[in-house]
Amino acid sequence: MTDASARATPVDVPIDVPIDVPNDVPIDAIGGPDSIGMAAAVDALPDQMEAALASAAYVGGLPDASAVTNVMVMGMGGSGVAGDIVAALAAPELTVPVAVAKGYDCPAFVGPTTLAIAVSFSGDTEETLESAIAAHDAGALLIAVTTGGRLAELSRQWDAPLYAVDPSIPMPRAAVGAITVAPLVALERIGLLVGVDAMVDATVAQLCTRRDLGDVESDAVSDVISQIGAGHLLPIFYGGGSLGSVAASRAKAQVNENVKIPAYASAMPELCHNELAGWDLAGPPEQVSPLVVFALRHDFEHPQIARRYDFARRVLDGARIPVPYHEVRAQGDGPMAQLFDLIFQVDRLSLRMAAAAGRDPGPVALLTDLKAYLAQS
């Protein structure tokens, strides 16, 4: 993670809770609460992806590419991100369209030539189950990615291919590697995609390199982490193109669930057509910014997107309330390696924020309460 700002020091806001987070301390040794081992799960991401690649080789019963005219990936929350990643990585290579469905409804185009991939870590996500049942009733070619639950039961009833996810992974959001590798392998085995093994190998290599580096951040970023932990700043993530957009939305969700605070995400170039206008004159000049922008950068951005980042940076620096800005740079061989490098870096960043806030990044009581509430209806 690099600081791209000549004015990198965040706004001078007193911190109510002094927190000393040395730059070279691994995320699992910062001292924050971690009841279910989220830090260890994040660090195990490359191992998780290798295991998922190996286990996916044993799944049979897949249709032939000639039977597929479109692909739909269904999922919600930490499982639903698999659809976003698959679309970002596979859509540019496929000769059939890829759609992502997040909700109860099954799109009307779904039919006997649709490859419908249902992803639910628990296997009991009600939106995904309802959508999967509707897709099956429409005659779609179903594939399930899950640890078990009702989705696994249905896949056996339907004689649909089942990609089993390691149930020891503590949370859906920590299973991002496993739930992404399985659909990509399926697309390759069907004959719609090529080179998945090489993509995963390059990704694992980059994640191992990043893991070995540990958390080496500038003092400015460490200060921002502390201010977020103290409740003085909220993060906004900017991503460029399809890869950056997925990384940014994933980052927002990780901060929401790991740190239990609001966070926001926007994508280039769209944000330059609307959101950017909101920075220029926001608030009286004597105020300090309540927000910090993290720009998630990769090597596969369109050249004009890179220029848009430069312009946006000028706007943020010159706003009546200057906005702290930091860049997170991806490395790795290929789009998948760089996307997961961003995911890995921000996952670790979110855990550092959680530790600074003194919050357990594990279970989210509010979401458990919501499921109980919905079950009463």
Side-chain angles (χ1 to χ4, degrees):
M1 187 176 304
T2 58
D3 176 19
S5 176
R7 180 198 45 78
T9 303
V11 291
D12 185 14
V13 180
I15 298 176
D16 297 332
V17 182
I19 299 172
D20 181 18
V21 185
N23 291 337
D24 58 349
V25 175
I27 56 175
D28 57 355
I30 289 177
D34 186 4
S35 63
I36 60 174
M38 287 293 291
V42 167
D43 269 1
L45 180 57
D47 312 303
Q48 175 191 128
M49 297 183 77
E50 281 189 315
L53 183 64
S55 65
Y58 296 98
V59 177
L62 295 165
D64 185 79
S66 62
V68 178
T69 61
N70 56 79
V71 177
M72 181 180 69
V73 188
M74 302 167 283
M76 298 295 301
S79 298
V81 72
D84 299 327
I85 296 174
V86 168
L89 294 175
E93 309 297 327
L94 297 184
T95 57
V96 298
V98 180
V100 179
K102 295 186 177 184
Y104 295 95
D105 298 325
C106 179
F109 69 78
V110 171
T113 60
T114 299
L115 177 67
I117 305 174
V119 184
S120 170
F121 181 80
S122 67
D124 294 317
T125 308
E126 66 177 43
E127 301 97 325
T128 305
L129 287 173
E130 189 164 326
S131 183
I133 291 170
H136 173 263
D137 291 347
L141 307 164
L142 261 295
I143 291 175
V145 181
T146 184
T147 61
R150 179 63 175 156
L151 182 58
E153 294 175 3
L154 288 173
S155 71
R156 287 189 283 269
Q157 290 178 23
W158 298 336
D159 198 24
L162 171 62
Y163 288 85
V165 178
D166 180 1
S168 70
I169 299 171
M171 279 284 166
R173 61 188 182 274
V176 62
I179 62 174
T180 300
V181 167
L184 291 173
V185 170
L187 291 173
E188 181 173 50
R189 294 277 301 281
I190 289 169
L192 294 171
L193 193 63
V194 297
V196 171
D197 281 28
M199 290 165 55
V200 175
D201 288 346
T203 302
V204 168
Q206 175 56 34
L207 293 178
C208 288
T209 298
R210 181 68 66 184
R211 180 174 62 186
D212 291 344
L213 287 174
D215 292 303
V216 181
E217 296 156 346
S218 69
D219 290 340
V221 173
S222 291
D223 287 344
V224 165
I225 291 171
S226 294
Q227 292 196 51
I228 290 171
H232 296 307
L233 285 174
L234 293 176
I236 299 177
F237 297 94
Y238 280 179
S242 57
L243 295 178
S245 176
V246 172
S249 61
R250 157 82 182 181
K252 169 205 174 296
Q254 289 300 96
V255 171
N256 293 155
E257 294 195 60
N258 286 341
V259 195
K260 282 76 174 175
I261 61 172
Y264 309 93
S266 294
M268 297 278 188
E270 175 64 23
L271 73 88
C272 293
H273 291 262
N274 36 63
E275 182 172 318
L276 194 60
W279 290 110
D280 196 23
L281 298 175
E286 67 273 10
Q287 290 184 355
V288 293
S289 175
L291 302 168
V292 54
V293 169
F294 288 93
L296 308 183
R297 306 296 303 274
H298 58 87
D299 294 340
F300 301 93
E301 298 167 355
H302 189 283
Q304 287 294 83
I305 287 183
R307 296 188 68 204
R308 288 173 184 270
Y309 270 114
D310 292 340
F311 187 87
R313 176 62 188 283
R314 286 165 49 192
V315 171
L316 295 171
D317 277 348
R320 293 177 68 190
I321 303 176
V323 180
Y325 177 99
H326 303 278
E327 287 194 352
V328 180
R329 284 276 179 179
Q331 294 181 332
D333 182 12
M336 185 178 190
Q338 294 212 2
L339 173 55
F340 272 88
D341 189 41
L342 289 175
I343 287 172
F344 188 75
Q345 290 186 74
V346 175
D347 279 8
R348 297 180 75 158
L349 179 66
S350 72
L351 293 178
R352 290 171 66 81
M353 293 175 186
R359 296 193 176 117
D360 186 347
V364 184
L366 180 67
L367 301 186
T368 302
D369 292 344
L370 172 61
K371 292 177 182 178
Y373 172 79
L374 293 174
Q376 296 172 4
S377 61

